Amino acid sequence: ATMLELANEKPLPEMDTVSLLPVLSGRGLLPAERVILSGLDEAEGFDGRGGGFESAAKLFNDTAFLRVVCCLSGCIKQGSMLPITAGPQVALMHVTP
């Protein structure tokens, strides 16, 4: 929804999504109980391998915004910060602005 809002478009009615633009621009707050889910079913890496990922992020307190990422067949994108493998990977990241 964030990218759609930046493009001045609205999400489709069947989409369960909320824009993070107010939070990112300092005009709003993310409720503490809110978990941000994202993922990609299928993608192709720079080396031709296919795969996807699931991700969850949550603001735990004033200083801890955590994100967990799971790649069932290994994270395939070059900029993933994880080593390239063919097996499952899970990473917990502390996200800072």
Side-chain angles (χ1 to χ4, degrees):
T2 305
M3 299 306 285
L4 291 171
E5 185 174 351
L6 286 169
N8 292 319
E9 296 291 334
K10 297 205 180 293
L12 297 172
E14 62 270 15
M15 293 175 73
D16 178 20
T17 183
V18 176
S19 174
L20 296 176
L21 192 57
V23 175
L24 297 172
S25 63
R27 296 180 286 128
L29 297 174
L30 188 63
E33 70 277 358
R34 183 78 179 184
V35 174
I36 302 167
L37 302 174
S38 63
L40 184 62
D41 288 335
E42 190 66 32
E44 186 173 315
F46 65 94
D47 60 357
R49 292 183 307 124
F53 74 93
E54 295 291 330
S55 170
K58 181 174 175 40
L59 178 65
F60 280 88
N61 57 40
D62 291 340
T63 60
F65 184 78
L66 302 177
R67 180 175 187 175
V68 63
V69 178
C70 176
C71 307
L72 293 179
S73 57
C75 293
I76 62 170
K77 292 299 183 185
Q78 189 171 16
S80 72
M81 299 184 297
L82 298 173
I84 296 173
T85 70
Q89 290 177 299
V90 176
L92 177 63
M93 299 174 226
H94 180 226
V95 182
T96 57

